[in-house]
Amino acid sequence: MVDVATLHFFYHKIDRIHSLVIRHQTFDICHFKSGDVQNELDKIHQQALEALAGAETDREIEDLAIRYLGRKGILTQFLRNISQLPTEERPAAGKKANAVKTALDSAFKLAAEKLASSGAAADAKIDVSLPGRVPAQGTLHPITQVNQEICDIFLSLGFDIGEGPEVESDWYNFEALNFPKNHPARDMQDTFFVSDDVVLRTHTSPLQIRTMEKQPPPVRIVTPGKVYRCDSDLTHTPMFHQVEGLLVDENISFGDLKGILTTFVHQMFDEQTSLRFRPSFFPFTEPSAEVDILCVICRGEGCRVCSHTGWLEILGSGMVHPALYENVGYEADRYTGFAFGMGVERIAMLKYGIDDIRRFFENDVRFLSQF
Ligand code: PHE
């Protein structure tokens, strides 16, 4: 018969053996013969150092440290199970195992420090072949681009570039351009007044007077600039840009006006763009004509953009009124010439198919970066 105490003793023993087998898959102390332990620890130490010599990254060193010194690591388990050894071997084995543990611990630390100071760890994380990030680059505003394009065309036709003030006297903006005081034509110009006599220029036409005052004929000039009108909707902003043109010499005819403006339209849009000269009125030109181009959207069929007329107005023009020559001291019976003025935003809208003029002033990069 086996008594209960003996049974318990055996269960306890089996339990212990079982847990050793489970826990010591990497290192089973039970397999050591007496006297083997010292050798075995030397071997573990040696293997760890060899593996460490081959480690090239932080990660590899860390994995080795876990494998040998971690909570379930080879040396930790060894120390934990020293009690399984014969009593007389335990002190020496414990001492040796601790020494190996300390030695490996400092070997791992040293290897990690060396790696960090050599920069290899950092280098391993940087892929030098990756393309760099390209900084976003600014572009010229579409209005600036179209403005330059317009001026370039006229420069190539022999015109010069000029400019003048945005705050103008009533004389230059109106009076000298043959707008008498209280003339209804002034009404068309939704003027911002600075004072009774001073305005924000409503067009670039004052440059016709300023240019002729400064120089004798012949005159061949284009003058780009900002102009102001008290108006705001889908196709109007209180500030917009115009380019004015003026050509004065002997024997200049309406045929010259048509030739120059036809060349301009063909270069600005394309050779196929039809245009027409439609009679109009401006106090400072006689005769006057507005220039329309065939609708760029429907090609003349009629659509919303051209109000179903098939045509789009792009500029005002005409032969310089003799009254202007009187005002600047030119010989009115000797010289003739023509002038024209166009809205830069309008040309840009037609060229790029933009239906709201306010897009140009919202500074939305998604819009601007398309140009
Ligand atoms: N200044 C006129 C406008 O703003 C355009 C124009 C310029 C007309 C020159 C004729 C000659 O509407």
Side-chain angles (χ1 to χ4, degrees), residues 100-245:
V100 172
K101 192 182 169 199
T102 316
L104 285 182
D105 193 44
S106 47
F108 291 143
K109 276 188 186 134
L110 194 73
E113 274 165 25
K114 255 195 194 159
L115 191 68
S117 65
S118 78
D123 285 353
K125 284 179 204 142
I126 295 170
D127 179 352
V128 292
S129 69
L130 272 180
R133 272 180 217 159
V134 184
Q137 213 179 3
T139 56
L140 288 180
H141 192 280
I143 293 304
T144 306
Q145 289 184 38
V146 172
N147 191 44
Q148 286 181 355
E149 231 177 294
I150 295 169
C151 290
D152 283 348
I153 293 171
F154 286 104
L155 275 173
S156 77
L157 292 170
F159 285 71
D160 293 326
I161 308 278
E163 56 179 18
E166 289 169 31
V167 180
E168 267 298 10
S169 63
D170 181 89
W171 168 257
Y172 285 110
N173 198 78
F174 293 124
E175 199 78 33
L177 286 167
N178 204 28
F179 285 85
K181 288 248 188 307
N182 305 318
H183 190 285
R186 288 194 179 205
D187 242 21
M188 285 162 35
Q189 307 241 346
D190 307 306
T191 312
F192 284 114
F193 286 90
V194 176
S195 68
D196 277 353
D197 233 16
V198 179
V199 300
L200 296 185
R201 68 179 176 196
T202 58
H203 52 178
T204 42
S205 298
L207 269 307
Q208 293 185 32
I209 304 297
R210 286 183 177 276
T211 306
M212 289 191 285
E213 271 180 349
K214 265 193 282 184
Q215 68 174 92
V219 173
R220 237 185 275 113
I221 196 163
V222 282
T223 51
K226 291 180 169 68
V227 301
Y228 301 83
R229 290 187 200 178
C230 188
D231 203 353
S232 183
D233 59 33
L234 274 184
T235 52
H236 298 88
T237 45
M239 184 283 293
F240 61 102
H241 298 78
Q242 282 190 338
V243 175
E244 188 85 7

